[in-house]
Amino acid sequence: MKTAPEPESRDAFKAQFLAVVSHELRTPLTSIAAFTEMLSGVDLPEGERPTALSVVQRNTERMLVLIEDLMLLSRLESGDLPVQSEPVDLAPVVTGAGREVERVVPTAAVRGTVKPGPPVPGDADLLHQLFYAVTGAMTERALDGTGEIHGACFGDHWTVTIRSTQAETLTDEYFLATSLPVPGGGRTRSLALWMLLARAIAHRHGGAVSIGFDPRTGAAITVRLPTAG
């Protein structure tokens, strides 16, 4: 695969990966430690033991799911995960991801167009996850709930931008504090994890994801992917 301009920095990805891991693990580990200590104490009323055990079990399951997500990210970034490389028509992938965001986020509305263009070599399912992640990140807490998508092919690469009205720039704290459902999974991921996944998928396809903010037009996430040509 060709590499799109301005490829994602591996060092930057690793630094963000470690920051997200430490944050995501802290909450369930703290809960498990606290309630395990309660269960081992002699002063815990018998009637409260089932509640404490439930908290420990729930947070243990949360950690197991989180570890699966982190392993997926690690395998994508390292290249250990086999990825399909077939011609993918990008327009229906992007619009389909937008419709899925509208289904799982009742307040979201996704508008805009993606112009026809040459295919992208890659994995359609992974690319769908990429655009679901960035579209959800832009609409989940948009001031008017609307995300505007514009995509077109320029020369040897695609540029797809999702823009929304935000009160301020999208910070790491925003991504860590906000979650987006996993379609069909009955659970959620933090936007920080979703954005790491989006970056890893883009990088694996020779592309990049960038985040910007303009006080006049709002926040934007731009995805660049190389064509098959």
Side-chain angles (χ1 to χ4, degrees), residues 33-70:
F35 280 89
T36 300
E37 183 177 355
M38 289 175 59
L39 285 165
S40 63
V42 296
D43 297 330
L44 181 68
E46 191 64 30
E48 295 183 14
R49 297 184 71 84
T51 299
L53 284 169
S54 177
V55 171
V56 171
Q57 182 179 10
R58 184 170 64 252
N59 281 279
T60 301
E61 291 171 352
R62 178 180 173 184
M63 286 185 59
L64 291 173
V65 171
L66 175 60
I67 289 170
E68 289 179 2
D69 288 341
L70 296 176

Side-chain angles (χ1 to χ4, degrees), residues 142-177:
L143 294 180
D144 60 0
T146 300
E148 291 284 344
I149 296 178
H150 297 285
C153 185
F154 301 94
D156 63 353
H157 71 276
W158 276 87
T159 298
V160 180
T161 298
I162 303 94
R163 191 178 302 278
S164 68
T165 303
Q166 303 280 347
E168 57 186 3
T169 186
L170 301 181
T171 63
D172 291 342
E173 290 75 17
Y174 164 81
F175 287 122
L176 288 167

Side-chain angles (χ1 to χ4, degrees), residues 129 132-133 180-183 189-198:
Q129 291 189 59
Y132 173 83
L180 182 69
V182 177
R189 286 190 185 113
S190 72
L191 287 184
L193 271 176
W194 274 116
M195 289 304 298
L196 278 177
L197 181 61

